Amino acid sequence: MHPVTIKPGQFVYLRVRGRDFHLSDKFQTHPFMITWWDLKESTPRLQGVSGSKGPSITILIQPANGLTRRISNTEFLQSVSFEGPRGRSLPLEEYENVALVAKGIGLAGILSYAKHIIDLKYDPKRKSEVLTRKLDLYWELDDNSQEDWGGHFLKELQSRTKTVRPR
């Protein structure tokens, strides 16, 4: 594994191979937002997402048609690789008040910013880099089943600080 630096708002191009995939899938890459990451070897991955330890990135995929539908059936996956991270990060930690707003799968695009600000704010060595005093995250669900996958991330954010209040 190569060293990777991930910043909030970045994405990866995902390439997958699997049984019963179309020939064209082997030549396609699709961009997906990096929702969560943990690059420390000794840190457990997010509860409910994976039980093992080690470096990880998490992307959320909403199955639609074509490749995303086939990816969601993990029993057919043979290998997954990614290129990246790509994209620019907005320096939201430079603002006193930050409001992050998402609907449905859009949560994938804002969680990394919330995680980044909270991680910086509660890191004794880096907290001086953060001007943010108030961070609000608003998420409208398309349907109640989204709370099953999104709730894990929100609970993890809450556990990182006592100032994050659910509404």
Side-chain angles (χ1 to χ4, degrees), residues 119-131:
D119 285 351
L120 285 178
K121 191 170 180 108
Y122 291 93
D123 180 346
K125 296 176 185 171
R126 299 190 66 197
K127 67 181 177 181
S128 63
E129 299 174 31
V130 182
L131 298 177

Side-chain angles (χ1 to χ4, degrees), residues 89-98 116-117 120 129-133:
S89 180
L90 301 173
L92 298 184
E93 69 276 6
E94 295 177 6
Y95 296 91
E96 283 190 27
N97 297 304
V98 176
H116 177 70
I117 290 170
L120 285 178
E129 299 174 31
V130 182
L131 298 177
T132 306
R133 298 177 70 197

Side-chain angles (χ1 to χ4, degrees), residues 7-56:
K7 296 178 181 173
Q10 290 188 310
F11 62 93
V12 294
Y13 285 103
L14 197 64
R15 182 181 307 262
V16 297
R17 286 189 32 217
R19 294 190 322 263
D20 299 333
F21 277 29
H22 299 151
L23 179 61
S24 64
D25 292 340
K26 294 179 183 180
F27 304 106
Q28 291 184 35
T29 59
H30 290 270
F32 293 100
M33 293 297 300
I34 299 171
T35 303
W36 203 267
W37 67 92
D38 188 349
L39 301 178
K40 297 176 185 165
E41 287 289 338
S42 61
T43 306
R45 292 184 187 175
L46 193 62
Q47 286 293 333
V49 176
S50 176
S52 63
K53 292 184 178 187
S56 66

Side-chain angles (χ1 to χ4, degrees), residues 69-136:
R69 175 73 56 205
R70 291 187 291 280
I71 289 173
S72 68
N73 191 349
T74 57
E75 68 184 60
F76 292 104
L77 288 179
Q78 293 174 334
S79 69
V80 177
S81 62
F82 68 89
E83 178 188 320
R86 302 271 188 235
R88 295 184 184 200
S89 180
L90 301 173
L92 298 184
E93 69 276 6
E94 295 177 6
Y95 296 91
E96 283 190 27
N97 297 304
V98 176
L100 301 171
V101 181
K103 182 176 181 194
I105 193 68
L107 182 69
I110 65 170
L111 273 175
S112 63
Y113 284 102
K115 176 189 181 303
H116 177 70
I117 290 170
I118 290 170
D119 285 351
L120 285 178
K121 191 170 180 108
Y122 291 93
D123 180 346
K125 296 176 185 171
R126 299 190 66 197
K127 67 181 177 181
S128 63
E129 299 174 31
V130 182
L131 298 177
T132 306
R133 298 177 70 197
K134 182 178 180 186
L135 171 64
D136 289 326

